[in-house]
Amino acid sequence: MKNKYYLFGSIFIFLISLILPVYLNSTHIADYYFNDNSIENLGVFYLVIGYITIAELPVEFFCWLSNFTLLFAWIFHKKKSGVVLVWISFVLMFAYAINYLFRLDIILVVEYDEFLFGYWFWLASPILMLCYHYLPEKGMKEKNI
């Protein structure tokens, strides 16, 4: 048996990442929600407008495509294809972190001077799905011993 809390947690954390700003700058976090001009910093904006990156470098498009591989990983969570999809989603999402941490400039939308905030919630979502697939339920572990 697999622990369903990881699956539900993954979905919940992903939804939280959509309402959080991807980057935090020097302004207060409330400014993202009360100023009309800062909607482009929220995760939902990146999700809705991300298809535009297909004309840009392919890495940006693959990072955006990881949202849908994660969606299919949730749908097929009981099958082997769900495991493959969540690994693909994790690798594609992690490419964004590699670009940010090493400042590789392979993704054009990255602002290196600002702290990633909502992104870490976004990346935690496939990590929780990996925990769902690889960590057994606590009761099952005790029965096997």
Side-chain angles (χ1 to χ4, degrees):
M1 287 288 300
K2 295 180 180 179
N3 196 344
K4 297 274 187 185
Y5 292 119
Y6 289 118
L7 173 65
F8 298 137
S10 173
I11 296 169
F12 183 70
I13 292 293
F14 183 81
L15 293 175
I16 287 176
S17 75
L18 293 179
I19 60 172
L20 291 176
V22 175
Y23 300 101
L24 279 182
N25 58 16
S26 60
T27 62
H28 194 265
I29 193 168
D31 291 341
Y32 290 104
Y33 303 105
F34 299 119
N35 291 339
D36 291 335
N37 59 355
S38 62
I39 188 71
E40 67 270 2
N41 294 327
L42 299 180
V44 69
F45 181 79
Y46 281 70
L47 179 67
V48 172
I49 304 298
Y51 70 91
I52 295 173
T53 60
I54 195 167
E56 302 290 330
L57 293 172
V59 177
E60 293 176 1
F61 179 70
F62 290 134
C63 287
W64 175 77
L65 200 59
S66 67
N67 296 309
F68 298 101
T69 57
L70 184 61
L71 174 69
F72 286 115
W74 292 333
I75 292 170
F76 300 116
H77 68 277
K78 293 184 179 181
K79 300 181 180 183
K80 290 283 187 187
S81 60
V83 177
V84 174
L85 288 169
V86 76
W87 272 109
I88 291 170
S89 179
F90 174 73
V91 168
L92 293 176
M93 287 181 181
F94 195 67
Y96 193 86
I98 295 295
N99 180 62
Y100 178 82
L101 294 174
F102 295 113
R103 297 177 184 237
L104 299 176
D105 289 331
I106 56 175
I107 297 176
L108 301 176
V109 188
V110 177
E111 298 179 22
Y112 295 110
D113 297 333
E114 297 180 1
F115 176 71
L116 287 177
F117 184 65
Y119 168 78
W120 297 115
F121 285 87
W122 185 59
L123 184 63
S125 187
I127 291 173
L128 286 174
M129 276 304 290
L130 289 171
C131 292
Y132 168 78
H133 286 292
Y134 291 109
L135 294 178
E137 195 172 352
K138 190 173 186 178
M140 290 297 292
K141 192 180 233 184
E142 294 170 358
K143 290 178 185 178
N144 291 337
I145 294 178

